Amino acid sequence: MIDMWGEEKIRAFRATLLDWYDEAGRADLPWRENQDPYRVWVSEIMLQQTQVQTVIPYFNRFMTMFPTLNDLAAAPEQDLLKAWEGLGYYSRVRNMQKAAIQVRDDYNGVWPDTMTELENLTGIGPYTAAAIASISFKEPVPAIDGNAFRVFARLFKIDADIAQPKTRKVFFDLGLQLIDPERPGDFNQAIMDLGSSYMSAKNYDSEHSPVKQFNAAYADGTEDFYPVKSKAPKPRPITYFAVAVHSPAGYLWEQRPTTGLLANFWTMPLYALTDFVTDPDAEWSEDEMIAATEKRLLADYGVVAELTKMAGRPVTHVYTHQKWTVTVLTAEVEAMPLQRGTWRDFDALTRDPQPKIQEKVWKRLN
């Protein structure tokens, strides 16, 4: 049950928040130069799961490569993946291109201007739709992301579990009452800035927050308890082998299938332990697994190689539902015809779009 403020207090909160935003908001962010929906959309998709300072150079490069929605719609996928390389969650950029094509073909190149219509576009959920609708089209709808969950939960001491999908409506309905109808985009961006500064998850500074007088959790010292969020399941551990086979013609290199994790990216051969071990109770020694990898290389690529394990700890990388532990195996061989994949010299292969796990393998090799 939320102890809702009266209209006078709501107006006071809006004024306090927006006065602070006008004075201290992050106006230097490149996507805030204007309210163009294309720029707002690109930035919001990039900012999912990614820090602001990391996004800035990616955003600037992306806008240079694909300055308009039509440029994005027409771009080769390999160019998109290369532009996105390092940001992770690559389905985001693939969905962006699908949405760009929708706007171009289904809406005659004109952006839908309401949250409801924007949610019809591929890859645009409630938060992104609300952000675009409020910032670009002045629709008074709250953009509920992690920052908004945290800010509103502390302001009102909301104990609903934000990991539960049904909780979003609680916060959305609250935001509908709080949002400034004249400046909805600025209101949402002010909440974002507040949630990443004075009301951040860690090292917050409520004592100097511009809205501390409205913060119920600050008043009784319970901010650490908000927002309430149950723990997500731990990512499932998977053991992999990355095979760095080098010849005078270059490295053994191939493009992954068009579906599945890391679709269409270029990598060295990657084998999961489950590719060899079908019995979960079987105990394989390291030498046996390396020998099995050598047999798979011969069967899959036609490459005869004596593999050596690199010294040091394996490379690790965490995806949403999986944690990869990758042992790097190396070999020097003669150049030979391949049944699959290609030989590619290092300078050439760096131009291919590669996933983060492959970048980590290169760092280990170098």
Side-chain angles (χ1 to χ4, degrees), residues 145-364:
D145 68 344
N147 287 313
F149 275 129
R150 185 165 54 256
V151 170
F152 293 157
R154 290 177 180 173
L155 291 179
F156 291 88
K157 295 177 62 176
I158 301 171
D159 58 9
D161 183 358
I162 65 171
Q164 299 296 321
K166 64 182 180 182
T167 300
R168 175 174 290 275
K169 186 177 187 306
V170 174
F171 282 81
F172 185 82
D173 291 345
L174 173 63
L176 282 175
Q177 297 180 70
L178 296 179
I179 195 165
D180 190 290
E182 303 299 322
R183 300 177 60 187
D186 289 343
F187 180 94
N188 280 330
Q189 290 180 110
I191 294 294
M192 296 174 203
D193 288 3
L194 192 64
S196 61
S197 57
Y198 292 103
M199 297 182 70
S200 58
K202 299 178 180 178
N203 303 317
Y204 48 83
D205 183 15
S206 301
E207 175 59 31
H208 299 98
S209 167
V211 298
K212 73 174 183 179
Q213 69 268 37
F214 301 94
N215 189 339
Y218 168 69
D220 63 9
T222 59
E223 288 163 291
D224 282 338
F225 297 112
Y226 300 99
V228 174
K229 184 178 183 180
S230 56
K231 290 185 178 181
K234 290 184 177 181
R236 179 168 59 93
I238 302 180
T239 298
Y240 268 90
F241 296 94
V243 187
V245 179
H246 185 260
S247 79
Y251 283 94
L252 177 55
W253 196 236
E254 72 171 340
Q255 189 172 26
R256 292 178 65 85
T258 57
T259 59
L261 194 59
L262 310 185
N264 286 342
F265 280 100
W266 289 80
T267 68
M268 297 170 173
L270 285 170
Y271 288 113
L273 178 60
T274 51
D275 292 336
F276 315 131
V277 180
T278 56
D279 180 0
D281 296 322
E283 293 185 7
W284 282 45
S285 70
E286 190 171 87
D287 288 344
E288 288 175 324
M289 289 186 286
I290 292 174
T293 306
E294 291 172 347
K295 291 179 181 178
R296 287 296 299 267
L297 273 177
L298 178 60
D300 293 344
Y301 302 92
V303 171
V304 178
E306 184 174 337
L307 297 174
T308 302
K309 176 188 173 184
M310 282 199 72
R313 292 183 300 175
V315 174
T316 60
H317 190 70
V318 179
Y319 296 97
T320 305
H321 303 297
Q322 299 179 5
K323 179 180 180 181
W324 287 17
T325 301
V326 182
T327 297
V328 181
L329 307 177
T330 64
E332 287 287 339
V333 301
E334 297 297 323
M336 61 188 76
L338 296 172
Q339 295 172 184
R340 196 172 100 194
T342 184
W343 297 112
R344 186 101 78 188
D345 69 71
F346 188 77
D347 288 340
L349 65 79
T350 57
R351 294 190 288 272
D352 295 325
Q354 303 173 37
K356 191 68 175 180
I357 185 63
Q358 180 61 61
E359 293 179 19
K360 290 183 176 181
V361 171
W362 286 127
K363 287 181 180 179
R364 174 56 56 85

Side-chain angles (χ1 to χ4, degrees), residues 101-113:
I101 292 170
Q102 281 180 274
V103 175
R104 183 194 65 189
D105 296 349
D106 299 344
Y107 294 87
N108 297 316
V110 178
W111 277 88
D113 60 5

